[in-house]
Amino acid sequence: MKMKTLCMISVLIFESTVAVSAVPDDECNDEFPARENCEFDEVCEDAFCVHNEYVTCHMNRCGTCEAVFRGYDNLTVNCNQLTPKCRLMHLEMLNKRRTGTILPGGRLDIEYDPECDGYGMFKPKQCDDDSNLCWCVDSAGVRVTDKTGDDPKCDRLVRVHLIDILFTFKVDFTTLARTREAIRRKLAFKLVKEYTLKATQILEINIQELSQVVSIRLTENGTKDPVDVATVAYYIERDLKNSKFGLEVDGRSLEVERDSIKVLFFDNEPPRMNMKTISPGFAAIIIVIALAILTGIAVFVVVRRRAEQEKKRFQFEVIEGQGLDDYHLAQRDTMAYFVM
Protein backbone atom coordinates (compact mmCIF):
# COMPACT_ATOMS: atom_id res chain seq x y z
CA MET A 1 0.00 0.00 0.00
CA LYS A 2 2.83 2.37 0.86
CA MET A 3 4.61 1.57 -2.42
CA LYS A 4 1.38 2.13 -4.35
CA THR A 5 0.94 5.55 -2.72
CA LEU A 6 4.49 6.55 -3.61
CA CYS A 7 3.92 5.52 -7.23
CA MET A 8 0.73 7.60 -7.38
CA ILE A 9 2.58 10.63 -5.97
CA SER A 10 5.35 10.18 -8.54
CA VAL A 11 2.81 10.08 -11.36
CA LEU A 12 1.11 13.23 -10.07
CA ILE A 13 4.44 15.05 -9.87
CA PHE A 14 5.36 13.98 -13.39
CA GLU A 15 2.00 15.08 -14.79
CA SER A 16 2.27 18.46 -13.06
CA THR A 17 5.67 19.23 -14.58
CA VAL A 18 5.44 17.76 -18.10
CA ALA A 19 2.10 17.62 -19.88
CA VAL A 20 1.94 15.28 -22.84
CA SER A 21 -0.71 14.34 -25.34
CA ALA A 22 -0.93 12.67 -28.71
CA VAL A 23 -2.25 13.98 -31.99
CA PRO A 24 -5.58 12.10 -32.40
CA ASP A 25 -5.56 9.41 -35.06
CA ASP A 26 -8.50 11.04 -36.85
CA GLU A 27 -6.29 14.10 -37.51
CA CYS A 28 -3.95 11.98 -39.63
CA ASN A 29 -4.83 11.80 -43.33
CA ASP A 30 -4.30 8.92 -45.76
CA GLU A 31 -1.00 10.37 -46.97
CA PHE A 32 0.44 10.39 -43.44
CA PRO A 33 -1.32 7.59 -41.54
CA ALA A 34 -0.93 7.16 -37.79
CA ARG A 35 2.06 5.07 -36.74
CA GLU A 36 1.26 2.23 -34.36
CA ASN A 37 4.71 1.80 -32.78
CA CYS A 38 4.93 5.31 -31.36
CA GLU A 39 4.87 5.65 -27.56
CA PHE A 40 4.84 8.63 -25.20
CA ASP A 41 7.94 7.44 -23.36
CA GLU A 42 9.94 7.35 -26.58
CA VAL A 43 8.90 10.82 -27.67
CA CYS A 44 8.20 13.17 -24.75
CA GLU A 45 9.99 11.76 -21.73
CA ASP A 46 13.35 13.38 -22.50
CA ALA A 47 12.10 16.04 -24.92
CA PHE A 48 12.50 19.69 -24.01
CA CYS A 49 12.16 23.07 -25.71
CA VAL A 50 15.49 24.91 -25.69
CA HIS A 51 14.20 28.46 -25.95
CA ASN A 52 10.81 28.24 -24.23
CA GLU A 53 9.81 26.68 -20.91
CA TYR A 54 6.11 27.57 -21.19
CA VAL A 55 5.20 24.67 -23.46
CA THR A 56 3.76 21.17 -23.32
CA CYS A 57 4.97 18.19 -25.31
CA HIS A 58 2.58 16.59 -27.77
CA MET A 59 3.24 13.40 -29.69
CA ASN A 60 2.84 13.58 -33.45
CA ARG A 61 2.43 10.13 -35.00
CA CYS A 62 1.03 11.14 -38.38
CA GLY A 63 3.53 9.48 -40.71
CA THR A 64 6.27 10.05 -38.14
CA CYS A 65 6.99 9.75 -34.44
CA GLU A 66 8.17 13.08 -33.05
CA ALA A 67 7.59 15.63 -30.34
CA VAL A 68 5.63 18.78 -31.12
CA PHE A 69 5.59 21.60 -28.58
CA ARG A 70 2.65 23.88 -27.95
CA GLY A 71 2.47 26.92 -25.74
CA TYR A 72 -0.10 27.38 -23.00
CA ASP A 73 -2.18 29.18 -25.66
CA ASN A 74 -2.32 25.82 -27.53
CA LEU A 75 -0.39 27.23 -30.50
CA THR A 76 2.69 25.47 -31.87
CA VAL A 77 6.10 26.76 -30.73
CA ASN A 78 9.23 26.47 -32.88
CA CYS A 79 11.84 25.36 -30.36
CA ASN A 80 14.71 25.81 -32.83
CA GLN A 81 14.52 29.60 -32.59
CA LEU A 82 13.76 32.29 -30.04
CA THR A 83 10.08 32.82 -29.34
CA PRO A 84 9.14 36.41 -30.30
CA LYS A 85 9.03 38.72 -27.28
CA CYS A 86 5.30 39.41 -27.43
CA ARG A 87 4.40 35.72 -27.63
CA LEU A 88 6.85 34.86 -24.84
CA MET A 89 5.43 37.59 -22.59
CA HIS A 90 1.91 36.30 -23.29
CA LEU A 91 2.93 32.75 -22.35
CA GLU A 92 4.65 34.04 -19.21
CA MET A 93 1.44 35.80 -18.14
CA LEU A 94 -0.61 32.68 -18.82
CA ASN A 95 1.83 30.73 -16.66
CA LYS A 96 1.59 33.30 -13.84
CA ARG A 97 -2.19 33.10 -13.92
CA ARG A 98 -2.04 29.30 -13.85
CA THR A 99 0.26 29.36 -10.85
CA GLY A 100 -1.49 32.27 -9.12
CA THR A 101 1.61 34.49 -9.03
CA ILE A 102 -0.05 37.54 -10.59
CA LEU A 103 -3.32 39.34 -9.95
CA PRO A 104 -5.51 41.20 -12.48
CA GLY A 105 -4.75 44.89 -12.87
CA GLY A 106 -1.01 44.55 -12.33
CA ARG A 107 1.74 47.03 -13.14
CA LEU A 108 0.94 47.93 -16.75
CA ASP A 109 4.20 49.77 -17.43
CA ILE A 110 6.31 46.81 -16.31
CA GLU A 111 4.37 43.69 -17.20
CA TYR A 112 1.09 43.11 -18.96
CA ASP A 113 -0.52 40.45 -21.11
CA PRO A 114 0.14 41.78 -24.62
CA GLU A 115 -1.83 41.30 -27.80
CA CYS A 116 0.29 39.72 -30.54
CA ASP A 117 -0.18 39.33 -34.26
CA GLY A 118 0.03 36.05 -36.13
CA TYR A 119 3.84 36.22 -36.16
CA GLY A 120 4.11 36.71 -32.40
CA MET A 121 4.98 40.40 -32.70
CA PHE A 122 3.34 43.23 -30.75
CA LYS A 123 0.21 44.83 -32.12
CA PRO A 124 0.58 48.64 -32.25
CA LYS A 125 -2.32 49.12 -29.82
CA GLN A 126 -2.40 47.41 -26.43
CA CYS A 127 -5.28 47.45 -23.96
CA ASP A 128 -5.96 46.32 -20.41
CA ASP A 129 -9.41 44.84 -19.82
CA ASP A 130 -9.38 45.50 -16.07
CA SER A 131 -8.77 49.23 -16.35
CA ASN A 132 -10.28 49.74 -19.84
CA LEU A 133 -7.19 51.72 -20.80
CA CYS A 134 -5.33 51.50 -24.12
CA TRP A 135 -1.99 52.80 -25.36
CA CYS A 136 0.45 52.51 -28.29
CA VAL A 137 3.70 50.54 -28.14
CA ASP A 138 6.84 50.15 -30.23
CA SER A 139 8.22 46.87 -31.60
CA ALA A 140 9.71 46.08 -28.17
CA GLY A 141 6.32 46.44 -26.48
CA VAL A 142 7.39 49.65 -24.71
CA ARG A 143 4.65 52.22 -24.22
CA VAL A 144 5.07 55.33 -26.40
CA THR A 145 1.79 57.14 -25.64
CA ASP A 146 -0.35 57.93 -22.63
CA LYS A 147 -2.77 55.31 -21.36
CA THR A 148 -6.25 56.51 -22.22
CA GLY A 149 -9.86 55.44 -22.02
CA ASP A 150 -10.35 56.75 -25.53
CA ASP A 151 -9.24 54.90 -28.64
CA PRO A 152 -5.60 55.93 -29.26
CA LYS A 153 -4.38 56.34 -32.83
CA CYS A 154 -1.80 53.60 -33.24
CA ASP A 155 -1.57 53.64 -37.02
CA ARG A 156 1.63 51.59 -37.26
CA LEU A 157 4.20 49.82 -35.11
CA VAL A 158 7.18 52.07 -34.38
CA ARG A 159 10.31 50.02 -35.06
CA VAL A 160 13.06 49.90 -32.44
CA HIS A 161 16.39 50.01 -34.27
CA LEU A 162 18.87 50.28 -31.39
CA ILE A 163 19.02 48.66 -27.94
CA ASP A 164 21.50 49.22 -25.11
CA ILE A 165 21.86 46.58 -22.39
CA LEU A 166 23.75 47.78 -19.29
CA PHE A 167 24.88 45.86 -16.19
CA THR A 168 27.74 45.44 -13.74
CA PHE A 169 29.28 42.39 -12.08
CA LYS A 170 28.84 41.61 -8.38
CA VAL A 171 32.55 41.36 -7.66
CA ASP A 172 35.38 43.42 -9.04
CA PHE A 173 37.47 41.86 -11.75
CA THR A 174 40.96 42.90 -12.69
CA THR A 175 40.61 45.92 -14.94
CA LEU A 176 43.40 44.93 -17.26
CA ALA A 177 42.97 45.43 -20.97
CA ARG A 178 43.57 41.71 -21.51
CA THR A 179 40.74 40.78 -19.10
CA ARG A 180 38.30 43.25 -20.60
CA GLU A 181 39.10 41.98 -24.09
CA ALA A 182 38.52 38.39 -22.95
CA ILE A 183 35.11 39.34 -21.53
CA ARG A 184 34.20 41.13 -24.76
CA ARG A 185 35.07 38.06 -26.81
CA LYS A 186 33.15 35.74 -24.47
CA LEU A 187 30.09 37.98 -24.63
CA ALA A 188 30.27 38.20 -28.42
CA PHE A 189 30.44 34.43 -28.88
CA LYS A 190 27.62 33.98 -26.37
CA LEU A 191 25.34 36.42 -28.19
CA VAL A 192 25.91 34.70 -31.53
CA LYS A 193 25.79 31.09 -30.36
CA GLU A 194 23.22 31.10 -27.56
CA TYR A 195 21.01 34.02 -28.55
CA THR A 196 21.23 33.43 -32.33
CA LEU A 197 22.29 37.00 -33.14
CA LYS A 198 24.12 37.72 -36.36
CA ALA A 199 27.57 39.23 -35.88
CA THR A 200 26.56 42.32 -37.85
CA GLN A 201 23.86 43.07 -35.27
CA ILE A 202 26.38 43.50 -32.45
CA LEU A 203 27.28 47.15 -32.83
CA GLU A 204 29.42 47.43 -29.72
CA ILE A 205 30.44 45.69 -26.50
CA ASN A 206 32.15 48.03 -24.08
CA ILE A 207 33.47 47.70 -20.52
CA GLN A 208 34.17 50.99 -18.77
CA GLU A 209 37.54 50.91 -17.07
CA LEU A 210 36.57 52.81 -13.89
CA SER A 211 32.90 52.01 -13.29
CA GLN A 212 33.19 48.53 -14.85
CA VAL A 213 29.76 48.96 -16.44
CA VAL A 214 29.24 46.51 -19.27
CA SER A 215 27.26 47.88 -22.21
CA ILE A 216 26.02 45.82 -25.14
CA ARG A 217 24.61 47.71 -28.12
CA LEU A 218 22.46 45.80 -30.60
CA THR A 219 21.05 47.00 -33.91
CA GLU A 220 19.06 45.77 -36.90
CA ASN A 221 20.27 48.37 -39.39
CA GLY A 222 22.31 47.13 -42.34
CA THR A 223 21.68 43.44 -41.63
CA LYS A 224 19.94 41.15 -44.09
CA ASP A 225 17.15 39.12 -42.43
CA PRO A 226 18.07 40.33 -38.94
CA VAL A 227 17.07 38.55 -35.75
CA ASP A 228 14.58 40.67 -33.80
CA VAL A 229 16.83 42.55 -31.36
CA ALA A 230 13.90 43.29 -29.01
CA THR A 231 13.38 39.56 -28.59
CA VAL A 232 17.10 38.91 -28.05
CA ALA A 233 17.31 41.74 -25.49
CA TYR A 234 14.33 40.28 -23.60
CA TYR A 235 15.95 36.84 -23.42
CA ILE A 236 19.22 38.40 -22.21
CA GLU A 237 17.39 40.51 -19.61
CA ARG A 238 15.52 37.46 -18.30
CA ASP A 239 18.70 35.42 -18.02
CA LEU A 240 20.57 38.26 -16.32
CA LYS A 241 17.81 38.76 -13.73
CA ASN A 242 17.39 35.02 -13.13
CA SER A 243 21.16 34.42 -12.77
CA LYS A 244 21.19 32.24 -15.88
CA PHE A 245 23.55 34.41 -17.90
CA GLY A 246 26.61 32.29 -17.19
CA LEU A 247 29.94 33.90 -18.05
CA GLU A 248 33.30 32.46 -17.08
CA VAL A 249 36.68 34.12 -17.70
CA ASP A 250 40.03 32.66 -16.65
CA GLY A 251 38.26 29.94 -14.68
CA ARG A 252 36.24 32.49 -12.73
CA SER A 253 32.45 32.76 -12.87
CA LEU A 254 31.26 36.36 -13.13
CA GLU A 255 27.88 37.04 -11.52
CA VAL A 256 25.78 40.05 -12.44
CA GLU A 257 24.43 42.63 -9.99
CA ARG A 258 20.67 42.35 -10.49
CA ASP A 259 19.84 45.96 -9.58
CA SER A 260 22.32 47.25 -12.18
CA ILE A 261 20.48 45.76 -15.16
CA LYS A 262 19.01 48.35 -17.54
CA VAL A 263 17.68 47.99 -21.07
CA LEU A 264 17.20 51.10 -23.20
CA PHE A 265 15.26 51.12 -26.48
CA PHE A 266 15.73 53.69 -29.26
CA ASP A 267 13.57 54.44 -32.27
CA ASN A 268 13.31 57.33 -34.71
CA GLU A 269 10.23 58.93 -33.17
CA PRO A 270 9.87 60.84 -29.88
CA PRO A 271 7.34 59.50 -27.33
CA ARG A 272 3.84 60.98 -27.51
CA MET A 273 3.25 61.26 -23.77
CA ASN A 274 2.08 63.97 -21.41
CA MET A 275 4.90 64.39 -18.87
CA LYS A 276 2.37 65.10 -16.09
CA THR A 277 0.97 61.58 -16.32
CA ILE A 278 4.24 59.69 -15.75
CA SER A 279 6.69 59.34 -12.90
CA PRO A 280 9.62 61.81 -12.62
CA GLY A 281 12.22 59.09 -13.15
CA PHE A 282 10.57 57.83 -16.30
CA ALA A 283 10.10 61.41 -17.52
CA ALA A 284 13.83 62.04 -17.10
CA ILE A 285 14.60 58.98 -19.22
CA ILE A 286 12.22 60.22 -21.94
CA ILE A 287 13.84 63.67 -21.91
CA VAL A 288 17.28 62.12 -22.26
CA ILE A 289 16.13 59.92 -25.14
CA ALA A 290 14.39 62.88 -26.81
CA LEU A 291 17.57 64.94 -26.55
CA ALA A 292 19.49 61.99 -27.94
CA ILE A 293 17.14 61.91 -30.91
CA LEU A 294 17.55 65.65 -31.52
CA THR A 295 21.32 65.52 -31.29
CA GLY A 296 21.64 62.09 -32.83
CA ILE A 297 22.55 63.31 -36.30
CA ALA A 298 25.45 65.43 -35.05
CA VAL A 299 26.75 62.65 -32.80
CA PHE A 300 26.36 60.12 -35.59
CA VAL A 301 28.47 62.21 -37.95
CA VAL A 302 31.26 62.44 -35.36
CA VAL A 303 31.40 58.78 -34.32
CA ARG A 304 30.30 57.03 -37.50
CA ARG A 305 33.76 56.47 -38.96
CA ARG A 306 35.20 55.15 -35.70
CA ALA A 307 32.15 52.96 -35.04
CA GLU A 308 32.28 51.43 -38.50
CA GLN A 309 35.97 50.59 -38.12
CA GLU A 310 35.40 49.10 -34.67
CA LYS A 311 32.37 47.18 -35.88
CA LYS A 312 34.25 45.59 -38.79
CA ARG A 313 37.13 44.58 -36.51
CA PHE A 314 34.73 43.20 -33.91
CA GLN A 315 32.71 41.23 -36.47
CA PHE A 316 35.93 39.74 -37.81
CA GLU A 317 36.85 38.61 -34.29
CA VAL A 318 33.43 36.96 -33.82
CA ILE A 319 33.57 35.16 -37.16
CA GLU A 320 37.19 34.18 -36.59
CA GLY A 321 36.28 32.80 -33.16
CA GLN A 322 33.39 30.82 -34.63
CA GLY A 323 35.75 29.31 -37.17
CA LEU A 324 38.18 28.24 -34.45
CA ASP A 325 35.34 26.69 -32.45
CA ASP A 326 34.21 24.72 -35.51
CA TYR A 327 37.82 23.62 -36.09
CA HIS A 328 38.21 22.41 -32.51
CA LEU A 329 34.86 20.64 -32.70
CA ALA A 330 35.91 18.86 -35.88
CA GLN A 331 39.18 17.86 -34.22
CA ARG A 332 37.30 16.44 -31.24
CA ASP A 333 34.94 14.45 -33.47
CA THR A 334 37.91 13.11 -35.45
CA MET A 335 39.70 12.01 -32.27
CA ALA A 336 36.53 10.32 -31.03
CA TYR A 337 36.31 8.45 -34.35
CA PHE A 338 39.85 7.08 -34.05
CA VAL A 339 39.42 6.19 -30.38
CA MET A 340 36.32 4.18 -31.17
Side-chain angles (χ1 to χ4, degrees), residues 89-100:
M89 284 180 61
H90 174 59
L91 294 178
E92 286 175 340
M93 297 302 287
L94 291 179
N95 179 63
K96 289 179 179 180
R97 290 196 178 97
R98 283 166 50 127
T99 56

Side-chain angles (χ1 to χ4, degrees), residues 86 112-117 121-127 129:
C86 183
Y112 63 96
D113 191 355
E115 294 186 47
C116 313
D117 63 19
M121 309 302 287
F122 289 96
K123 289 185 177 180
K125 184 174 74 173
Q126 299 291 326
C127 296
D129 294 334

Side-chain angles (χ1 to χ4, degrees), residues 102-116:
I102 190 170
L103 298 175
R107 299 171 295 172
L108 297 181
D109 282 335
I110 299 176
E111 56 181 13
Y112 63 96
D113 191 355
E115 294 186 47
C116 313

Side-chain angles (χ1 to χ4, degrees), residues 28-39:
C28 301
N29 53 38
D30 295 336
E31 185 178 358
F32 300 103
R35 286 184 55 175
E36 298 297 331
N37 58 339
C38 189
E39 303 293 337

Side-chain angles (χ1 to χ4, degrees), residues 51 127 146-147 172 174 185 247 306:
H51 298 296
C127 296
D146 291 322
K147 292 177 287 186
D172 293 339
T174 306
R185 284 176 172 269
L247 189 67
R306 179 181 175 186

Side-chain angles (χ1 to χ4, degrees), residues 38 94 125 222 254 288-289 312:
C38 189
L94 291 179
K125 184 174 74 173
L254 301 179
V288 170
I289 293 176
K312 289 178 181 178

Side-chain angles (χ1 to χ4, degrees), residues 77-325:
V77 172
N78 184 351
C79 292
N80 296 322
Q81 62 186 32
L82 301 183
T83 302
K85 180 181 178 180
C86 183
R87 175 93 188 278
L88 187 59
M89 284 180 61
H90 174 59
L91 294 178
E92 286 175 340
M93 297 302 287
L94 291 179
N95 179 63
K96 289 179 179 180
R97 290 196 178 97
R98 283 166 50 127
T99 56
T101 56
I102 190 170
L103 298 175
R107 299 171 295 172
L108 297 181
D109 282 335
I110 299 176
E111 56 181 13
Y112 63 96
D113 191 355
E115 294 186 47
C116 313
D117 63 19
Y119 299 98
M121 309 302 287
F122 289 96
K123 289 185 177 180
K125 184 174 74 173
Q126 299 291 326
C127 296
D128 175 61
D129 294 334
D130 295 321
S131 62
N132 293 321
L133 296 176
C134 296
W135 60 94
C136 304
V137 299
D138 58 24
S139 60
V142 178
R143 183 166 63 94
V144 295
T145 65
D146 291 322
K147 292 177 287 186
T148 176
D150 300 327
D151 189 19
K153 295 181 179 180
C154 310
D155 300 328
R156 60 185 179 84
L157 190 66
V158 178
R159 193 75 190 169
V160 169
H161 65 86
L162 192 69
I163 297 179
D164 277 349
I165 304 171
L166 310 172
F167 59 89
T168 59
F169 294 107
K170 283 186 177 181
V171 295
D172 293 339
F173 55 87
T174 306
T175 55
L176 297 175
R178 179 182 60 83
T179 306
R180 293 195 299 273
E181 187 63 24
I183 293 174
R184 288 179 69 249
R185 284 176 172 269
K186 288 275 187 178
L187 286 172
F189 297 151
K190 189 177 187 68
L191 294 177
V192 172
K193 284 197 157 188
E194 297 183 22
Y195 296 98
T196 68
L197 266 177
K198 295 184 178 181
T200 53
Q201 293 184 260
I202 308 173
L203 192 61
E204 181 185 34
I205 296 179
N206 184 45
I207 303 174
Q208 296 183 16
E209 186 173 355
L210 297 179
S211 64
Q212 298 182 6
V213 173
V214 179
S215 63
I216 301 174
R217 176 163 293 186
L218 308 178
T219 183
E220 290 187 355
N221 292 350
T223 302
K224 184 179 179 181
D225 300 325
V227 179
D228 179 44
V229 290
T231 295
V232 173
Y234 189 59
Y235 270 87
I236 294 174
E237 183 182 8
R238 290 168 73 240
D239 288 347
L240 286 171
K241 291 182 176 179
N242 295 324
S243 301
K244 294 181 179 179
F245 192 83
L247 189 67
E248 187 173 302
V249 177
D250 296 334
R252 184 180 182 183
S253 180
L254 301 179
E255 297 183 13
V256 173
E257 186 66 53
R258 195 178 192 278
D259 293 338
S260 70
I261 302 167
K262 296 181 178 64
V263 182
L264 304 177
F265 304 90
F266 299 89
D267 55 56
N268 292 322
E269 298 184 14
R272 293 168 286 161
M273 290 194 228
N274 184 349
M275 293 299 177
K276 294 181 180 180
T277 64
I278 56 180
S279 64
F282 192 53
I285 293 175
I286 292 175
I287 292 172
V288 170
I289 293 176
L291 289 173
I293 293 172
L294 293 174
T295 61
I297 297 176
V299 174
F300 183 74
V301 170
V302 173
V303 302
R304 178 176 181 180
R305 179 172 298 178
R306 179 181 175 186
E308 286 296 326
Q309 292 174 348
E310 184 69 14
K311 182 179 176 182
K312 289 178 181 178
R313 184 180 72 85
F314 189 70
Q315 290 168 8
F316 174 77
E317 291 175 354
V318 174
I319 296 169
E320 182 187 41
Q322 284 181 290
L324 287 174
D325 285 349

